[in-house]
Amino acid sequence: MASQELALKLQRRLQWEEVEEGGLQPAPGAALAPEHESPARAPTVCADAELSAQLNRRLDINEGTARPRRCKVFNPYTEFPEFSRRLIRDLESMFKKYDAGRDGFIDLMELKLMMEKLGAPQTHLGLKSMIKEVDEDFDGQLSFREFLLIFHKAAAGELQEDSGLMALAKLSEIDVAQEGVKGAKDFFEAKVQALSCASKFEAELKAEQDERKQEEEKRRLRQAAFRELKAAFST
């Protein structure tokens, strides 16, 4: 039904354009727009293009050839289950560190600065090639998801050893031995061990909750000690 309505609207618009441009009479029995609508109030060319695009997409959906649209909500913990929660937080901190514009993206100049800081400077073409390899939305910059994709590809062996992305992954390697991922010494060992642990996510979540409870208990004890000290000075 929706595709038929869009087709009828597009047909009426084309008929009005014919009447307006050449003074042609519409075909007998043709469904025109309501009489009270004048051609002067007709939608603009931009609106016509949008209507045509909607119609084409509806037809593509019906034929099963439409490309799926990416969900705007991104959850790194579900899309990258091989990464520990703490590792993702550390990589997010690193991402924000080089996101000088604070816009949620690392552009070419920010990537250039990152590689220089890591001790592996790249040429202009090399930087563009690095972005292109993981640039899923073709916007010429790195989102946080695409940044995580670099480490995912490195761990899966999908990057060339001499590539700029591999250099980034190796030089920015986080010491997860201190981050609680089963005592692994480096990122790649951590991934292998994490994949063999089915309940890793739940265990880390529980550990975070226990850590928060311990911090709250320490805070409560400090407050109680302060009140006792204050009461002792008041007497």
Side-chain angles (χ1 to χ4, degrees):
M1 293 295 295
S3 60
Q4 293 177 356
E5 292 177 2
L6 288 173
L8 289 174
K9 290 179 181 179
L10 184 58
Q11 182 181 8
R12 285 198 297 269
R13 172 73 353 245
L14 294 175
Q15 290 174 350
W16 271 120
E17 289 178 354
E18 292 177 357
V19 172
E20 183 181 8
E21 294 176 0
L24 301 177
Q25 294 296 325
L32 292 178
E35 294 180 357
H36 65 274
E37 291 186 1
S38 63
R41 300 181 57 188
T44 62
V45 175
C46 181
D48 290 340
E50 182 179 357
L51 178 62
S52 178
Q54 292 178 356
L55 176 60
N56 290 335
R57 176 162 178 81
R58 172 57 56 185
L59 294 175
D60 289 341
I61 292 175
N62 293 340
E63 295 175 1
T65 59
R67 294 181 61 183
R69 290 175 175 173
R70 182 186 302 280
C71 178
K72 295 183 179 180
V73 178
F74 166 56
N75 187 336
Y77 303 108
T78 56
E79 290 203 35
F80 296 90
E82 69 271 24
F83 297 160
S84 69
R85 291 172 60 86
R86 184 163 299 187
L87 180 59
I88 288 178
R89 290 200 302 271
D90 290 339
L91 290 173
E92 184 177 15
S93 297
M94 178 183 178
F95 180 86
K96 290 180 178 179
K97 175 182 177 182
Y98 291 101
D99 178 19
R102 298 293 185 268
D103 57 357
F105 297 93
I106 292 179
D107 59 24
L108 189 139
M109 294 306 297
E110 291 167 340
L111 180 61
K112 178 178 183 294
L113 178 62
M114 175 190 290
M115 298 306 294
E116 290 175 352
K117 292 286 187 180
L118 293 175
Q122 303 289 314
T123 64
H124 183 78
L125 292 178
L127 293 168
K128 292 181 67 175
S129 177
M130 289 174 63
I131 293 177
K132 183 179 180 181
E133 190 162 353
V134 291
D135 189 12
E136 296 183 319
D137 52 8
F138 307 104
D139 61 353
Q141 55 189 352
L142 297 177
S143 64
F144 181 52
R145 185 186 188 282
E146 292 164 345
F147 183 71
L148 291 179
L149 192 59
I150 295 173
F151 296 88
H152 171 82
K153 286 178 171 289
E158 299 176 4
L159 298 177
Q160 297 181 2
E161 282 295 327
D162 58 348
S163 67
L165 291 184
M166 180 59 81
L168 189 157
K170 287 184 175 180
L171 293 173
S172 61
E173 190 173 291
I174 295 180
D175 187 5
V176 294
Q178 299 179 3
E179 304 297 338
V181 187
K182 300 178 73 65
K185 294 182 179 180
D186 55 59
F187 170 77
F188 300 104
E189 291 180 8
K191 178 184 180 298
V192 174
Q193 294 194 18
L195 289 173
S196 65
C197 182
S199 60
K200 172 180 66 67
F201 184 86
E202 290 80 2
E204 290 179 350
L205 186 60
K206 185 177 184 302
E208 288 182 5
Q209 294 173 347
D210 292 341
E211 185 177 350
R212 283 196 296 268
K213 289 180 181 178
Q214 292 177 3
E215 291 177 355
E216 292 174 359
E217 180 64 18
K218 290 179 180 178
R219 188 182 305 110
R220 187 185 65 80
L221 293 175
R222 286 196 301 267
Q223 292 175 349
F226 176 77
R227 286 195 296 267
E228 291 179 2
L229 183 61
K230 183 177 179 180
F233 278 101
S234 300
T235 54

